[in-house]
Amino acid sequence: MEAIRLEFQPEIKEKILKLLSGFSSEELRIVDEDDFYDPNFKENKRKLEVAYAKLKNGNEKLYSIDEVDSILDDTFSEYDN
């Protein structure tokens, strides 16, 4: 299933729910945002914390767009032949 987030004025909530009630529970499931659980959240959070710690400690090398472009050009040229 896919998920989207809707933001709407409170006065149209009833109209939206009425429209959505026409779908079966197999086609559509309404999930309260407070109840939404991302199964990858903890792993993604850990990865971000590690990356941030490396950045903060100066152990991570940052590249500009031009530097990345040059690195990719060099890499591609190695494999062109």
Side-chain angles (χ1 to χ4, degrees):
M1 266 196 177
E2 293 186 33
I4 60 171
R5 177 181 172 170
L6 300 174
E7 292 185 4
F8 51 86
Q9 295 297 323
E11 57 269 12
I12 68 163
K13 182 177 182 178
E14 187 176 321
K15 290 179 183 178
I16 292 172
L17 292 176
K18 184 176 180 179
L19 172 70
L20 296 177
S21 69
F23 296 96
S24 73
S25 60
E26 293 174 2
E27 295 174 305
L28 175 73
R29 186 170 56 113
I30 299 173
V31 179
D32 189 321
E33 195 168 18
D34 294 335
D35 296 334
F36 179 73
Y37 173 73
D38 178 0
N40 300 314
F41 177 79
K42 289 182 181 179
E43 178 63 18
N44 291 336
K45 181 180 176 186
R46 186 194 65 74
K47 288 178 183 177
L48 284 172
E49 287 171 342
V50 168
Y52 178 67
K54 286 180 182 179
L55 182 63
K56 194 173 176 181
N57 292 331
N59 296 333
E60 196 69 34
K61 171 80 171 111
L62 300 177
Y63 297 94
S64 70
I65 296 293
D66 292 333
E67 289 172 317
V68 170
D69 191 41
S70 177
I71 291 168
L72 288 173
D73 285 344
D74 293 344
T75 303
F76 291 144
S77 67
E78 288 177 27
Y79 293 98
D80 272 347
N81 299 326

